[in-house]
Each structure stands twice: as C-alpha cells, then as structure tokens.
Amino acid sequence: MTISQLSRFNDLMKKIISISLTEQEIEEYFILLKQWNDEYESRCRQKGLINASALIS
C-alpha cells in the first residue's frame, strides 16, 4: 500500500471507532482492508511464514 492509502486507512479506522462512517466510506475501508490483507499474506508467504493451503478464504 502507498503512504496515502495507509493514511486513509488509518483515518477510516478512527471513524469506525467513533462510528461516524458513511456507507461509501465503509465500502472504501473494506477495499483498503482487503488490499492490506492481500499484501500482508503475500509478504508472509515470501518469508515462509504461511503457505497457500493454510489461508482461509
């Protein structure tokens, strides 16, 4: 993720905590969350921490 995406992700997390997200922001949050998760899993696979069969879809 880019720095701007991470920044936006953090902003959305703060809004979730305060329960002030719009419907559009909730959708945006889940898109960024999926992207973060995909990148995290990819890094873990590269480091040999997890394998593809261990991932839950």
Side-chain angles (χ1 to χ4, degrees):
M1 293 179 83
T2 66
I3 297 297
S4 62
Q5 287 174 319
L6 286 172
S7 178
R8 181 62 178 155
F9 183 77
N10 285 335
D11 289 342
L12 294 172
M13 283 297 296
K14 289 175 188 173
K15 284 190 168 194
I16 285 175
I17 292 168
S18 66
I19 310 175
S20 61
L21 283 170
T22 65
E23 191 170 321
Q24 182 179 354
E25 288 172 324
I26 292 170
E27 291 174 12
E28 182 184 0
Y29 167 78
F30 281 109
I31 290 168
L32 291 172
L33 179 62
K34 181 177 180 343
Q35 182 178 350
W36 179 87
N37 190 52
D38 290 346
E39 290 177 14
Y40 175 79
E41 289 175 353
S42 176
R43 283 191 303 273
C44 286
R45 266 188 246 106
Q46 289 172 356
K47 293 178 182 179
L49 299 175
I50 58 174
N51 59 41
S53 63
L55 298 177
I56 299 173
S57 300

